[in-house]
Amino acid sequence: MAQDKMYPMTEEGKEKLEAELEDLKMVQRPKVIDRIKIARSYGDLSENSEYESAKDEQSMLETRISTVERMLQYAQIIDNDGSDKDEITVGKKVTFKELPDEEPEEYTIVGAAEADPMSGKISNDSPIAKGLLGHRNGEEVTFDTPGGDMTVKILAVD
C-alpha cells in the first residue's frame, strides 16, 4: 500500500466529502458511461474525439473517486472539545493581523481535504497555518512563508 497518511478534517468536511463521493459515483459516473456509449456508436474509435474526450473524463473521474475514498478511509475527525480554548489547533478559527499595520485577517485552519482559501479555510499544511499552530491568543509569531518572513499578532482564537 502506498501511504497511510491521515487526513485531518472537521465533521462538516467529512460530510461534504461523503456527499461528493455519492455524487461522483451515482450521478457523474453514469453520465460519463453514457457519453462513452454514445461516442462508440459513432464508429471508428481511432479518430473519434468525443470518445477520447469521454475516456479522459472517465479517467479524471475515477482518479477523483479514488482520492476521495482514500481521504475518507484515513479521515481523522478533529475534536477540539478537550483542547485549550486559546491555543490554535486544526478546526479553530483564528483572527490575526500582520505587523506592523495590516488589516485583521480571519481563517479557519482545516485539513488539506477541505481547504478553501477563498472561503476563509486554510490547510493545516499551509505556511501560515504551520506558523500559527500551537500558538495562543495574544502572541506575536514570526514564521517563514514563500514570500519571506511574516510576523503576526494573534487577535482571537475561536
Side-chain angles (χ1 to χ4, degrees):
M1 185 85 198
Q3 63 182 7
D4 289 348
K5 177 183 180 192
M6 296 305 291
Y7 293 90
M9 62 183 71
T10 62
E11 187 63 42
E12 176 189 350
K14 182 179 182 203
E15 289 169 5
K16 279 184 171 181
L17 281 179
E18 288 170 339
E20 179 185 356
L21 184 60
E22 178 80 10
D23 179 65
L24 291 170
K25 286 182 165 182
M26 305 307 289
V27 178
Q28 303 306 319
R29 184 185 271 164
K31 283 182 183 178
V32 171
I33 290 170
D34 286 343
R35 282 189 57 212
I36 291 171
K37 285 179 187 174
I38 291 168
R40 276 189 180 147
S41 71
Y42 295 153
D44 183 11
L45 299 181
S46 65
E47 296 181 19
N48 187 331
S49 63
E50 286 88 3
Y51 178 76
E52 289 300 320
S53 173
K55 290 298 283 183
D56 288 346
E57 186 177 346
Q58 181 185 38
S59 175
M60 289 187 294
L61 177 72
E62 295 302 327
T63 298
R64 181 63 184 161
I65 288 171
S66 294
T67 299
V68 172
E69 285 176 336
R70 187 174 50 257
M71 287 177 176
L72 288 170
Q73 179 181 2
Y74 296 106
Q76 179 182 32
I77 303 303
I78 308 318
D79 179 12
N80 285 321
D81 288 345
S83 69
D84 182 335
K85 66 181 181 81
D86 287 331
E87 183 180 355
I88 299 171
T89 58
V90 176
K92 290 192 177 175
K93 186 181 294 183
V94 182
T95 305
F96 63 88
K97 71 175 188 172
E98 188 174 355
L99 297 177
D101 55 6
E102 293 291 322
E103 292 294 315
E105 298 179 47
E106 182 178 273
Y107 294 103
T108 300
I109 299 176
V110 297
E114 59 185 307
D116 181 6
M118 301 309 273
S119 297
K121 295 181 177 184
I122 60 172
S123 167
N124 61 313
D125 292 330
S126 71
I128 292 174
K130 283 181 177 179
L132 293 171
L133 286 169
H135 290 281
R136 304 171 62 75
N137 190 13
E139 289 183 13
E140 286 187 16
V141 183
T142 301
F143 48 88
D144 189 39
T145 69
D149 282 352
M150 181 177 193
T151 302
V152 300
K153 168 107 174 149
I154 300 167
L155 304 175
V157 179
D158 299 319

